[in-house]
Amino acid sequence: MNVEARQLELHLRHTFRISRWGFDVARTLLVTLEHAGLTGFGEAAPPRFFGEDLEATRRALEGLGGRLEGDPAALDAVLDALPPQVAALHGATAALDIALHDLAGQLAGQPLWAWLGLDPSAAPATSFTIAIAPVEQMVAHVREAERYPLLKIKVGTGRDVPIIEAIRSVTDKPLRVDANAAWSPQQAIAHLRAIQPYGIEFVEQPIPPGDPEAMRRVREAVDVPIIADESVATADDIPPLADAVDGVNIKLMKCGGIREARKMIDLARSLGLKVMLGCHIESSVAITAAAHLAPLADYADLDGNVLVVDDPFEGATLDDGARLCLPRRPGLGVRPRQA
Ligand code: MG
């Protein structure tokens, strides 16, 4: 298979600010695999929190010398044979894994969800993210997000209680909050107790990763379910958290793609954990790849493509209730958007 990688620039409608950092442009790598006259699309949006970046990802993919050996219909064998400098980077691995799944589905003549044996009507609605901004802007963005029935509010600001209070005064939609590891355990307990009367569906990553015991203490002290995000990259990270959280946020870019994500979903289920599917700021290529797994998820947060104004691809879409609608074309079912 011929491999190519080229950079995509995705411009955000509003500055994407979370507790750690903010940006207006997201850069990802679009990966194409050519095989038997077919093109498989993949995308890498490297997980910065885990120390990966675009340059290292580009170098690792260029190190393949434009070739990937093997048959995409036997994608396990191809992924198992990736050179260590690629396998070490989960964003790069995810891009190849997604493109291989695209080709495998196309070769089988089936949309990826069918190839995976899934029921597309079981895909949940996606939440829509409200990034950190001055309170009045966050409220304006909530009003702007009228068509989205589920909101995810970024917190970890030092003014989290007034933010939730202000947002709750203008909407009765379910609210999820994401602290992105910003709180200490004491702050997490205090803030969650203060906001739980406003009706919070769950909180993502209230405290920094690495201390399951502290996570367990927070969980016992509050009435808001906890979903681990930064604490969980791959399947190995799940068992230590089994009785410390209520669920895990699985992202293709953290774990290395669809193959590992399926393993994580099965493991999380076997431990009685809820499954959330999340994303980075990505085009419809990577978002659609995650969307094909959405029938297996309790919660979807696959809005990276709708937060940008110039997504160059189309794939999974949203119905009037923001439920993910999976493409019926073979493979991933994405294609470049007509200008
Ligand atoms: Mg998160």
Side-chain angles (χ1 to χ4, degrees):
M1 289 169 272
N2 287 323
V3 191
E4 264 181 45
R6 73 175 170 88
Q7 184 171 301
L8 297 181
E9 281 203 357
L10 306 170
H11 295 82
L12 285 135
R13 191 177 309 276
H14 302 298
T15 301
F16 191 76
R17 184 167 300 288
I18 67 170
S19 58
R20 278 191 294 281
W21 52 48
F23 52 88
D24 294 295
V25 184
R27 292 178 180 84
T28 69
L29 289 174
L30 175 72
V31 169
T32 53
L33 282 180
E34 305 282 346
H35 173 82
L38 302 172
T39 301
F41 288 109
E43 184 177 12
R48 278 209 274 169
F49 184 79
F50 295 90
E52 297 185 21
D53 64 31
L54 203 71
E55 268 323 298
T57 304
R58 188 201 313 271
R59 279 196 304 276
L61 290 168
E62 282 172 0
L64 293 169
R67 289 290 302 166
L68 191 61
E69 296 312 320
D71 178 351
L75 58 88
D76 275 330
V78 181
L79 289 170
D80 288 340
L82 288 180
Q85 68 273 20
V86 177
L89 295 173
H90 293 176
T93 306
L96 294 170
D97 165 285
I98 293 167
L100 285 164
H101 278 85
D102 190 5
L103 286 174
Q106 290 183 52
L107 288 167
Q110 288 183 312
L112 190 51
W113 53 262
W115 190 80
L116 295 167
L118 303 178
D119 169 10
S121 73
T126 180
S127 53
F128 183 84
T129 303
I130 304 296
I132 292 171
V135 179
E136 55 288 2
Q137 269 181 40
M138 291 179 78
V139 168
H141 295 164
V142 165
R143 292 188 196 276
E144 226 174 77
E146 198 180 2
R147 69 162 294 204
Y148 297 96
L150 303 167
L151 299 176
K152 168 165 142 173
I153 314 298
K154 291 291 192 181
V155 293
T157 60
R159 52 196 160 87
D160 295 330
V161 180
I163 285 173
I164 297 302
E165 204 175 3
I167 289 175
R168 185 45 93 206
S169 74
V170 299
T171 183
D172 53 10
K173 292 175 183 174
L175 299 181
R176 303 165 175 182
V177 300
D178 186 356
N180 287 109
W183 296 328
S184 68
Q186 296 83 338
Q187 287 171 329
I189 291 169
H191 292 341
L192 290 169
R193 282 180 174 167
I195 64 174
Q196 69 194 24
Y198 295 103
I200 305 298
E201 191 180 11
F202 60 74
V203 59
E204 257 180 79
Q205 199 69 36
I207 63 169
D211 191 349
E213 191 42 50
M215 197 74 105
R216 189 177 295 112
R217 285 203 310 276
V218 173
R219 182 176 179 232
E220 277 164 12
V222 302
D223 284 331
V224 181
I226 294 178
I227 307 288
D229 181 357
E230 283 86 342
S231 291
V232 175
T234 65
D236 291 346
D237 300 318
I238 296 179
L241 288 162
D243 59 351
V245 299
D246 297 279
V248 290
N249 186 349
I250 296 169
K251 297 178 182 169
L252 300 186
M253 297 302 149
K254 289 192 297 182
C255 74
I258 293 166
R259 181 173 75 148
E260 177 72 12
R262 291 174 70 197
K263 220 184 287 177
M264 295 177 77
I265 292 169
D266 288 345
L267 178 59
R269 290 278 174 228
S270 74
L271 294 168
L273 294 168
K274 296 280 191 191
V275 169
M276 175 174 184
L277 280 175
C279 65
H280 293 159
I281 303 300
E282 298 159 357
S283 82
S284 278
V285 172
I287 293 294
T288 300
H292 279 281
L293 293 174
L296 296 172
D298 299 291
Y299 313 117
D301 179 35
L302 298 176
D303 63 345
N305 56 340
V306 296
L307 298 173
V308 304
V309 295
D310 48 5
D311 179 3
F313 279 84
E314 56 187 15
T317 55
L318 301 176
D319 72 7
D320 289 344
R323 204 179 63 78
L324 290 152
C325 303
L326 307 185
R328 297 196 165 265
R329 294 184 290 279
L332 208 52
V334 298
R335 57 189 175 195
R337 207 174 277 278
Q338 302 300 322

